[in-house]
């Protein structure tokens, strides 16, 4: 390892990506495809980082470049301070990747898959934690079963276990809970949270937006090969200037009072009004005052905040316009 690499290894970022570009060359009449358009991204050490975007946005291309499976066209990337080309061995050892594809040897048992992977990373037998990791993934009773006999959800969990055999500093989970039932999904996240609490940087791509909202402290949204947003999850949600208030009246009404029409109120039930408003333009107290002035009394009310799905759709649709 070079002296420069040793210094860079002390960086506060688990991933540092600068101007990362990937062009897939076309063949014949098929034009070249620009998959990554100069991505710049920092992932802090110890974070639980969400990487979101629609299919074809460039997420998997970026992950495959970091893992050494795809060659970049230009730009630079570091994993825990190690350049993915100049310090390739150290960079790959610092990284564990759970791919979307179920790429397991059908004729290996779960334990053999783990042991073989540990051997590839040069993990001494005395330091291997095969049984411990399999237990964490709920696969103890399947340790000696062939991979081909496991269900889709079990294979997915085995992929997660496989990625952890060398105890990487950074763990990338590419759609890890696809096909996994709710109970086992919760078990998986409990273990992943534990890894994160002990210092492992977790990078998650998922189409389950509620997972990202619950788990991730920071989120980047990629669309058409570009980063369109990257900030703490709470900040991302706070930028959505929209709320919905649901009001239950103490009496039936047939029509919406004229004064409420300016708030785009809708009557969803004889006693229930739904009003969508922008907090930056109107306050909830103003809406309540207008209701009172209209001669209506409120029996109950609730407000609904925007969620990550709203942010995701807003960010990605803006790039399509």
């Amino acid at each position: 390892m070079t002296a420069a690499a040793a210094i860079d290894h002390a960086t506060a970022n688990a991933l540092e990506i600068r101007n990362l570009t990937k062009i897939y060359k076309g063949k014949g009449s098929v034009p070249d495809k620009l998959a990554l358009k100069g991505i710049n991204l920092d992932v802090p050490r110890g974070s639980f980082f969400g990487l979101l975007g629609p299919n074809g946005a460039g997420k998997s291309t970026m992950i495959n470049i970091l893992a050494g499976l795809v060659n970049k066209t230009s730009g630079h990337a570091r994993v825990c301070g190690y350049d993915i080309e100049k310090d390739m061995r150290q960079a790959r050892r610092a990284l564990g990747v759970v791919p979307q594809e179920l790429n397991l040897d059908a004729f290996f048992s779960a334990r053999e898959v783990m042991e073989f992977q540990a051997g590839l990373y040069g993990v001494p037998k005395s330091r291997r934690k095969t049984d411990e990791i399999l237990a964490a993934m709920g696969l103890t009773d399947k340790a000696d079963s062939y991979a081909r006999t496991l269900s889709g959800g079990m294979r997915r969990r085995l992929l997660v276990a496989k990625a952890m055999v060398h105890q990487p500093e950074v763990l990338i989970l590419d759609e890890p809970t696809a096909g996994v039932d709710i109970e086992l999904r919760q078990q998986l996240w409990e273990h992943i949270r534990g890894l994160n609490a002990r210092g492992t940087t977790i990078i998650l791509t998922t189409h389950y937006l509620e997972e990202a909202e619950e788990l991730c402290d920071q989120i980047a949204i990629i669309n058409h090969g570009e980063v369109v947003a990257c900030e703490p999850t709470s900040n991302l949600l706070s930028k959505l200037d929209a709320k919905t208030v649901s009001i239950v009246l103490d009496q039936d009404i047939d029509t919406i009072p004229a004064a409420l029409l300016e708030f785009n109120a809708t009557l969803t039930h004889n006693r229930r009004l739904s009003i969508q408003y922008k907090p930056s333009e109107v306050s909830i107290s103003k809406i309540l005052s207008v209701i009172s002035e209209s001669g209506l009394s409120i029996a109950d009310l609730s407000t609904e905040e925007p969620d990550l799905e709203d942010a995701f759709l807003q960010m990605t649709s803006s790039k399509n316009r």
Side-chain angles (χ1 to χ4, degrees), residues 28-41:
S29 60
V30 179
D32 294 349
K33 179 181 179 182
L34 181 57
L36 296 180
K37 304 175 183 178
I39 292 282
N40 289 292
L41 188 66

Side-chain angles (χ1 to χ4, degrees), residues 176-177 185 189 204 206 208-216:
T177 55
R185 184 183 300 172
W189 287 134
L204 169 69
T206 180
Y208 297 110
L209 297 182
E210 68 277 7
E211 281 188 347
E213 187 172 354
E214 178 183 352
L215 295 166
C216 300

Side-chain angles (χ1 to χ4, degrees), residues 12-213:
N13 292 319
L15 289 185
E16 292 181 344
I17 298 172
R18 297 290 180 270
N19 300 314
L20 192 63
T21 301
K22 176 60 183 178
I23 300 174
Y24 288 105
K25 293 294 183 181
K27 293 183 179 180
S29 60
V30 179
D32 294 349
K33 179 181 179 182
L34 181 57
L36 296 180
K37 304 175 183 178
I39 292 282
N40 289 292
L41 188 66
D42 288 333
V43 176
R45 280 181 184 267
S47 63
F48 205 128
F49 194 94
L51 189 62
L52 308 182
N55 292 331
K59 305 185 301 297
S60 292
T61 294
M62 188 181 77
I63 290 170
N64 288 335
I65 289 173
L66 295 172
L69 301 176
V70 170
N71 294 324
K72 64 182 175 62
T73 301
S74 62
H76 304 280
R78 295 178 180 274
V79 180
C80 295
Y82 300 118
D83 188 279
I84 61 172
E85 290 186 332
K86 296 177 183 178
D87 310 300
M88 180 178 64
R89 187 179 295 274
Q90 295 95 329
R92 292 187 184 178
R93 186 170 184 83
L95 190 66
V97 179
V98 181
Q100 289 188 39
E101 300 78 16
L102 297 173
N103 57 352
L104 296 167
D105 191 312
F107 297 96
F108 274 23
S109 68
R111 179 177 282 110
E112 288 169 339
V113 166
M114 299 286 287
E115 289 295 305
F116 183 75
Q117 185 78 353
L120 291 177
Y121 277 94
V123 181
K125 289 195 174 184
S126 61
R127 293 177 52 197
R128 295 179 187 179
K129 298 183 178 182
T130 296
D131 291 335
E132 178 183 328
I133 297 172
L134 288 175
M137 293 297 104
L139 292 171
T140 297
D141 60 338
K142 299 294 183 181
D144 297 311
S145 299
Y146 287 125
R148 68 177 185 271
T149 67
L150 302 180
S151 67
M154 289 178 181
R155 294 182 193 182
R156 182 72 59 187
R157 284 182 280 146
L158 182 54
L159 282 178
V160 176
K162 179 182 173 184
M164 297 192 299
V165 296
H166 60 295
Q167 300 177 56
E169 295 180 66
V170 181
L171 184 63
I172 298 180
L173 303 165
D174 197 358
E175 300 288 347
T177 55
V180 178
D181 64 54
I182 294 175
E183 182 179 353
L184 294 175
R185 184 183 300 172
Q186 292 173 342
Q187 181 182 357
L188 170 62
W189 287 134
E190 182 180 354
H191 185 70
I192 296 300
R193 280 193 180 104
L195 286 175
N196 182 239
R198 293 190 291 273
T200 301
T201 302
I202 308 296
I203 300 173
L204 169 69
T205 80
T206 180
H207 281 91
Y208 297 110
L209 297 182
E210 68 277 7
E211 281 188 347
E213 187 172 354

Side-chain angles (χ1 to χ4, degrees), residues 240-247 263-266 268 272-279 282 284 287-288 301-307 310:
L240 290 172
D241 189 21
K243 280 189 176 182
T244 300
V245 58
S246 181
I247 298 167
F263 300 118
N264 297 317
T266 58
T268 60
R272 186 182 296 274
L273 288 169
S274 179
I275 299 174
Q276 294 183 342
Y277 68 101
K278 294 184 176 182
V282 62
I284 184 67
I287 295 174
L288 297 180
L301 69 81
S302 61
T303 58
E304 182 180 332
E305 300 283 347
D307 59 19
D310 298 314

